[in-house]
Amino acid sequence: MASIRSSGSAVRVTGLGEAVVPFLVCIFSVILTMLPYGLSSSLVVAPSFAFIAIFYWTLFRPNLMHPILVFVVGLYQDLLSMGPLGLWATTYLVLYGYFLFRRQYFAGRSFASLWFSFGIGVLLLTFVSWAISSIFFTQLVSPRPAIIQGLFTFFLYPFYARFLAYFNRRISRHM
Amino acid sequence: MPIRARSQRVSLLIMIAVSCALLLLGRAEAYVFDQARDKVSEATAPVLEILSTPIAIVRDWIEGVQGFFDVYAENQRLKDENARLLEWKATALRMEQTASRYQALLDVQLEPTIGYVTGRVIADSGGPFVHTYIVNAGRKHGVQVGQGVIDTEGLIGRIVGVGNSASRVLIVNDLNSRVPVLIEPGHYRAIMVGDNSSTPRLEFLPDEVDIEQGDRVITSGHGGLLPPGLPVGEVVIEKEGTYFVKPYGDQARVDFVRILSYEFPREIEVEEDLLSESRNTPVTPKRNVAQNGE
């Protein structure tokens, strides 16, 4: 894995363990979204935990969030959800690229400002995934469920980011 | 540092290209990844099963607390409903007798009895463009691809993927869902097409139809996928000429579902002597005796 490189010193075994934490948290987040909350399929959709995780790790641990890992997370969601294969892989990668590109801007920002940026990310996510789906199914897919999921995801951010911060603190600084 | 950043950028572009290629491939040959999907669902099913249990408990608990507050009203409603249902029961019994007498007279081909497997929903699709469930019953419980899935109210969807101990249900709202239906009482044929909204659309209706808001929609059994006569939902008319279906199956609280096992009478056996007698006489299918002897 090219991304797992600590500055100067060799990566220890524990270091390797730490290095896969963001990826595993992302996979776990995909599963969380899939759980049947009784919110239903067509009316309300569970928030996208995985998107919050990808946003968070791209900002705080870009070295541990290699594009291949983002691809695998998206692909896993595609396979598990029975949707068009590549839908979430493409969407997450595009958004990941956007966050990476804007990373300088995010540095040292306040929480509220990050949350606002996340909101823009959610808008892009909703649009990109809706556009890909519409092209894939060659019809204008109803965007309603996607918008509802976007809103849920936006309001979940402060809580889930706190959960992710818990893991972030446990990964050593050198990673 | 810049080298790493550049390599990250290059691999990002490569990965985006790969996932776009996957989209194209999946569009052209959708079945290529079916096995991979089944494997992934199968592997994740134990985790989903464990994690979904507390959610089911919490949901039951919330419903219990909510139910506690309107016990009185609910009791009253149930009493009324019970009185109404008792009348219906008498009518149904009378009609059943009449129908069975007619069937005996006409030598009607009986539909085989429907068996079922009960499973718990352990995951939904989690995405806004796809509507599927994963149910914790699979091949070893006798589940097969194509079987219909119902809850206590009506049709939910059908099985599209089966693993050893988990299977996947395509919900009627999904963009890929097509269900042949009948609209009662007019007995019109139509195809119910999922359109990613909570009310699937009715297509391929005859030109002149007399359908009203609230008409009952049932499965027609055409095409040999689902057994005929399963309740699906009722007609919703938004504007003249476009008809939608509000499914009876309450997708907001799906918990346990039933997977129907049903054998279509696929082969029509023709009795030998009939064939040799005359080619012109109409051929009657051999009577299909219900499996459970009913």
Side-chain angles (χ1 to χ4, degrees):
Chain A
M1 275 190 222
S3 69
I4 304 159
R5 247 184 260 163
S6 62
S7 48
S9 67
V11 178
R12 292 158 295 141
V13 180
T14 49
L16 246 172
E18 283 177 316
V20 293
V21 165
F23 172 68
L24 291 180
V25 169
C26 285
I27 290 289
F28 176 73
S29 304
V30 171
I31 295 177
L32 274 188
T33 301
M34 306 274 298
L35 292 177
Y37 295 97
L39 300 171
S40 160
S41 55
S42 53
L43 305 171
V44 190
V45 191
S48 175
F49 291 88
F51 182 61
I52 302 177
I54 288 170
F55 174 80
Y56 188 90
W57 295 122
T58 309
L59 256 56
F60 291 99
R61 299 286 174 171
N63 294 345
L64 302 184
M65 227 33 223
H66 194 269
I68 292 175
L69 298 182
V70 179
F71 173 76
V72 172
V73 171
L75 194 68
Y76 180 66
Q77 182 166 346
D78 285 328
L79 286 171
L80 204 54
S81 73
M82 198 75 189
L85 205 72
L87 167 63
W88 293 109
T90 314
T91 310
Y92 287 156
L93 281 169
V94 168
L95 267 293
Y96 166 82
Y98 169 73
F99 294 143
L100 218 56
F101 176 70
R102 299 272 291 167
R103 218 175 92 76
Q104 297 301 327
Y105 168 83
F106 292 129
R109 293 272 162 172
S110 69
F111 176 79
S113 164
L114 280 186
W115 194 9
F116 178 76
S117 304
F118 177 74
I120 293 171
V122 168
L123 277 179
L124 282 170
L125 175 88
T126 310
F127 177 75
V128 172
S129 59
W130 174 81
I132 294 175
S133 302
S134 292
I135 294 168
F136 187 87
F137 292 107
T138 55
Q139 57 174 289
L140 288 179
V141 176
S142 161
R144 216 181 101 92
I147 293 167
I148 294 171
Q149 180 171 53
L151 281 173
F152 268 14
T153 309
F154 178 70
F155 288 110
L156 181 76
Y157 176 78
F159 307 99
Y160 202 58
R162 192 160 283 212
F163 170 77
L164 297 172
Y166 171 86
F167 284 99
N168 194 16
R169 279 196 299 275
R170 264 146 195 80
I171 304 172
S172 84
R173 219 166 266 277
H174 307 293
M175 280 277 146
Chain B
M1 202 64 174
I3 297 168
R4 193 194 301 173
R6 200 180 307 151
S7 89
Q8 205 159 4
R9 213 162 291 168
V10 169
S11 41
L12 172 63
L13 289 177
I14 292 172
M15 290 334 287
I16 289 180
V18 169
S19 39
C20 287
L22 276 178
L23 273 167
L24 285 176
L25 186 59
R27 174 83 198 152
E29 314 274 336
Y31 57 87
V32 173
F33 306 104
D34 282 358
Q35 231 178 346
R37 290 180 197 274
D38 290 346
K39 288 259 159 61
V40 169
S41 325
E42 184 75 21
T44 317
V47 183
L48 289 167
E49 186 138 13
I50 292 166
L51 289 175
S52 66
T53 308
I55 289 170
I57 292 169
V58 170
R59 197 171 51 214
D60 285 352
W61 185 75
I62 291 171
E63 270 168 25
V65 171
Q66 276 173 348
F68 185 77
F69 286 106
D70 43 39
V71 166
Y72 180 78
E74 185 69 5
N75 192 30
Q76 208 60 34
R77 194 184 67 78
L78 287 174
K79 270 183 185 162
D80 291 348
E81 190 174 288
N82 199 30
R84 225 172 31 246
L85 287 177
L86 280 174
E87 283 172 31
W88 272 109
K89 187 188 170 189
T91 317
L93 282 173
R94 208 170 53 238
M95 285 172 73
E96 192 187 1
Q97 272 182 355
T98 323
S100 63
R101 211 160 50 232
Y102 289 162
Q103 279 174 350
L105 281 170
L106 293 169
D107 199 17
V108 172
Q109 177 179 314
L110 291 177
E111 272 150 22
T113 33
I114 301 172
Y116 61 83
V117 182
T118 305
R120 189 162 66 85
V121 175
I122 54 172
D124 65 25
S125 67
F129 306 110
V130 180
H131 303 289
T132 58
Y133 289 138
I134 298 176
V135 177
N136 66 349
R139 203 173 292 121
K140 68 177 177 197
H141 307 97
V143 179
Q144 287 167 17
V145 170
Q147 290 174 335
V149 180
I150 58 168
D151 71 353
T152 48
E153 321 290 326
L155 184 74
I156 291 287
R158 66 185 162 85
I159 301 287
V160 289
V162 184
N164 204 26
S165 56
S167 48
R168 188 180 296 278
V169 185
L170 185 78
I171 316 287
V172 292
N173 309 81
D174 189 273
L175 285 160
N176 284 318
S177 172
R178 303 280 183 279
V179 183
V181 292
L182 285 178
I183 297 129
E184 302 287 3
H187 213 70
Y188 298 113
R189 279 191 191 192
I191 303 285
M192 185 173 78
V193 178
D195 62 354
N196 203 40
S197 76
S198 54
T199 51
R201 200 169 58 231
L202 286 174
E203 281 187 4
F204 304 110
L205 276 160
D207 289 339
E208 298 281 319
V209 287
D210 180 20
I211 296 175
E212 282 175 28
Q213 179 99 7
D215 277 2
R216 202 173 129 86
V217 180
I218 59 173
T219 54
S220 70
H222 295 131
L225 264 178
L226 298 166
L230 295 177
V232 175
E234 54 185 45
V235 173
V236 178
I237 303 176
E238 275 176 19
K239 62 174 192 279
E240 201 52 47
T242 49
Y243 303 96
F244 297 88
V245 181
K246 186 179 182 298
Y248 289 129
D250 185 358
Q251 285 150 10
R253 24 173 314 201
V254 162
D255 194 357
F256 286 97
V257 292
R258 280 176 177 181
I259 302 157
L260 306 171
S261 58
Y262 176 91
E263 289 258 337
F264 265 89
R266 284 178 202 283
E267 290 168 34
I268 299 175
E269 296 172 44
V270 182
E271 285 171 43
E272 293 273 323
D273 49 328
L274 264 174
L275 266 179
S276 55
E277 257 176 39
S278 160
R279 293 267 163 195
N280 296 335
T281 44
V283 176
T284 47
K286 195 177 182 180
R287 194 183 155 131
N288 192 316
V289 183
Q291 283 169 334
N292 294 13
E294 246 192 88

